[in-house]
Amino acid sequence: MKKATFTSTETAWCPGCGNHAILETLIGVLNQLETPPHQVVLVGGIGQAAKLNQYVTANGFSGLHGRALPAAVAIKIANDKLTVIVNTGDGDSYGEGGNHFIHNIRRNVDITHFVHDNQIYGLTKGQPSPTSDSCDLSHKTTACNMSAPFNPLLIAIATGATFVARSFSGDKEHLAKIMHAAIKHQGYSLVDILQPCVSFNKINTFAYYKKRVKPLDQSYDASNKLAAMEKAMEFGETIPIGILYQEQSPTYEEKRPELFDTIPLVDKQVSPEKIKKLIQGYI
């Protein structure tokens, strides 16, 4: 029997969009891991990045704006045998989904969260997102933040994320290594992927990031939380990329053994009478 592999279909993204490199890299990583496509679920909310699950030959779920994480967590709890990967944008995850972003970190469910961060809302043609740069004289003609920019990596580390990383869609080799490590990590893993929007963000371009991104050197200790928080605050002329923070901590599955014994929740037998009685309790 021929081994099943992951492939992609034609997309609706603009030519030159950073999402293409993210899609191609993820396909390569999934094929390298050799997890069967039927055991992978790709989850998205609303936005250009959230369309990714529609372009891959795996299970997919498209939810409401900002609501990808609750769906992904529910899928993992129902069937912990699945590899669950969320792909969303910075607006979807850090704006509409900001509350879910914070509190699902605290649960440490074993899912992977890839945020395609182009610092704008791309689907709706360029409004400022939480990660847009602050407004100044250089931003007269593009989206910018009148409020302080949101720092997702610093927030994630501070609220207990056990894997926090940043990569760049313009460096596919680096991105593949980070994606692979994030998927293999046991617990919630966040990868903020710098992904230029060629149509609506004329400031944070490929050239802009090429000049600034700098991989963490080999002496960097990813288990040092305070050092990781300092690295998370570096975002300017130099932008560090790599695994900023990683620790091993009990996952939600390990903390709730009654839900995750030898039988996945989705396969457990529940009598119709018991379900009927449960429903009656809410009527």
Side-chain angles (χ1 to χ4, degrees):
M1 179 178 174
K2 184 179 179 181
K3 184 175 68 176
T5 56
F6 295 86
T7 58
S8 63
T9 61
E10 183 179 356
T11 75
W13 294 325
C14 300
C17 172
N19 281 334
H20 291 289
I22 296 173
L23 172 63
E24 292 164 9
T25 305
L26 180 58
I27 291 288
V29 170
L30 290 172
N31 282 324
Q32 184 182 30
L33 290 171
E34 296 187 347
T35 303
H38 73 275
Q39 291 184 359
V40 173
V41 184
L42 301 175
V43 183
I46 295 294
Q48 294 290 6
K51 295 177 181 176
L52 186 141
N53 71 67
Q54 301 167 30
Y55 305 143
V56 181
T57 53
N59 298 297
F61 179 87
S62 297
L64 301 174
H65 208 182
R67 307 295 182 254
L69 282 175
V73 165
I75 292 167
K76 187 67 179 181
I77 290 173
N79 189 350
D80 61 321
K81 307 300 181 187
L82 297 172
T83 297
V84 181
I85 301 171
V86 177
N87 281 277
T88 64
D90 41 304
D92 192 44
S93 273
Y94 305 146
E96 281 81 0
N99 194 39
H100 297 303
F101 173 64
I102 292 172
H103 294 291
N104 279 301
I105 286 174
R106 297 170 54 231
R107 296 187 177 94
N108 198 31
V109 179
D110 185 19
I111 62 172
T112 305
H113 187 187
F114 294 142
V115 180
H116 306 203
D117 190 349
N118 57 17
Q119 298 183 255
I120 57 159
Y121 283 88
L123 182 67
T124 48
K125 302 186 178 180
Q127 297 86 355
S129 81
T131 58
S132 297
D133 291 337
S134 294
C135 296
D136 57 32
L137 294 178
S138 68
H139 286 81
K140 285 183 176 178
T141 59
T142 190
C144 60
N145 252 313
M146 295 299 291
S147 305
F150 186 76
N151 187 325
L153 302 190
L154 184 60
I155 294 293
I157 296 167
T159 49
T162 55
F163 184 103
V164 179
R166 174 186 285 131
S167 192
F168 172 43
S169 66
D171 186 343
K172 291 172 67 176
E173 183 178 353
H174 183 273
L175 179 58
K177 290 180 182 176
I178 298 298
M179 281 184 164
H180 187 281
I183 294 171
K184 298 295 288 184
H185 176 74
Q186 296 296 307
Y188 170 82
S189 54
L190 169 70
V191 183
D192 189 74
I193 306 170
L194 302 173
Q195 173 258 314
C197 175
V198 295
S199 295
F200 302 113
N201 190 335
K202 304 302 183 183
I203 298 293
N204 308 111
T205 62
F206 278 100
Y208 174 94
Y209 288 122
K210 275 283 188 183
K211 179 181 177 182
R212 289 167 173 77
V213 296
K214 181 180 179 182
L216 296 166
D217 61 47
Q218 293 185 346
S219 64
Y220 179 76
D221 179 8
S223 68
N224 186 328
K225 182 172 280 192
L226 287 178
M229 296 176 82
E230 290 181 358
K231 283 295 177 188
M233 289 189 285
E234 290 182 25
F235 199 96
E237 291 305 310
T238 299
I239 304 174
I241 58 173
I243 301 172
L244 273 64
Y245 184 69
Q246 185 172 17
E247 68 168 322
Q248 297 302 318
S249 182
T251 64
Y252 183 82
E253 295 90 320
E254 291 169 331
K255 289 183 285 189
R256 295 292 304 274
E258 76 278 13
L259 293 177
F260 304 96
D261 53 21
T262 56
I263 305 174
L265 197 61
V266 69
D267 292 330
K268 289 183 178 176
Q269 297 296 316
V270 180
S271 70
E273 290 76 19
K274 190 172 182 179
I275 294 175
K276 186 177 180 180
K277 184 178 179 181
L278 184 64
I279 293 174
Q280 288 295 327
Y282 290 95
I283 297 176

